[in-house]
Amino acid sequence: MPPFYPEPPLDALAAAGASRWLDVALVVATVACEPWALALIALAIYSWLEREVPAVLKASAPLFAALAAGGGMALLAHASWTAPHLAGAGTVVGPFLHRVLPGAQTIALGAFAAYSLLAYGRRAAPPVLLLAVVGGAARIWAGPHWISDLAGGGAAGVLLGALAHLVALRLFPGGHLAQLRASRRGTRADADGGAEHPVP
């Protein structure tokens, strides 16, 4: 099985007798930042914040779209880096995308954090911030270009998460996300008449 993060052979030989507990923690944190794992984590967190299963699915659907778009973005970046080109024909797009968007983990983490905070506000802050810190630390430890990875991938993910939230609000102005936003602003829309009542 290939390693989960690049390691020079001499470093691996020097650390052969060392404790490998940190590797296990890094692998768990890295896998937790994969888009499919973040989708499952989002389902668990939203299930804790919601009361009914349909509400969980309504809140999760835009995030799933953002995670899929982030995965596609990372795939296109990888394809542009590995695509064959003529010898001597220099290109700057491939190397730039390779450094800024080396994988889908940081994009997915940014999208998950931005969307969750926009949808649930302070209620989602503790688990989101914990996952962001752990995932960011794993990317710093494992990534060869961690500064550009966190900056480029994180910014792209935040934009995708915010865009997914905005599009869902525009497409469904009276939907679940709009009700969450109204409840955070101290009001709640009445189900039948649209009247607003203060939240106790």
Side-chain angles (χ1 to χ4, degrees), residues 4-95:
F4 283 91
Y5 56 90
E7 184 177 37
L10 293 179
D11 290 351
L13 183 62
S19 175
R20 306 303 284 177
W21 64 270
L22 185 59
D23 286 348
V24 176
L26 288 173
V27 166
V28 170
T30 302
V31 172
C33 293
E34 292 286 340
W36 64 268
L38 281 174
L40 296 178
I41 292 172
L43 279 177
I45 293 175
Y46 298 169
S47 298
W48 176 56
L49 296 173
E50 297 286 354
R51 295 181 179 177
E52 299 177 352
V53 173
V56 175
L57 298 178
K58 290 175 184 177
S60 302
L63 175 62
F64 293 166
L67 292 175
M73 184 184 298
L75 187 62
L76 287 176
H78 179 72
S80 70
W81 166 248
T82 58
H85 57 276
L86 295 176
T91 177
V92 295
V93 176

Side-chain angles (χ1 to χ4, degrees), residues 51-182:
R51 295 181 179 177
E52 299 177 352
V53 173
V56 175
L57 298 178
K58 290 175 184 177
S60 302
L63 175 62
F64 293 166
L67 292 175
M73 184 184 298
L75 187 62
L76 287 176
H78 179 72
S80 70
W81 166 248
T82 58
H85 57 276
L86 295 176
T91 177
V92 295
V93 176
F96 173 76
L97 291 178
H98 178 62
R99 286 189 175 272
V100 175
L101 302 173
Q105 291 92 350
T106 312
I107 301 174
L109 190 59
F112 165 74
Y115 178 83
S116 299
L117 292 176
L118 286 172
Y120 291 101
R122 286 179 289 181
R123 294 169 56 202
V128 167
L129 292 180
L130 175 64
L131 189 58
V133 168
V134 171
R139 297 306 299 162
I140 289 172
W141 184 271
H145 335 105
W146 64 270
I147 295 178
S148 58
D149 184 2
L150 292 179
V158 167
L159 287 176
L160 283 175
L163 182 62
H165 186 262
L166 179 63
V167 169
L169 285 176
R170 295 293 184 219
L171 290 179
F172 307 102
H176 185 66
L177 289 179
Q179 295 173 6
L180 288 174
R181 185 174 65 170

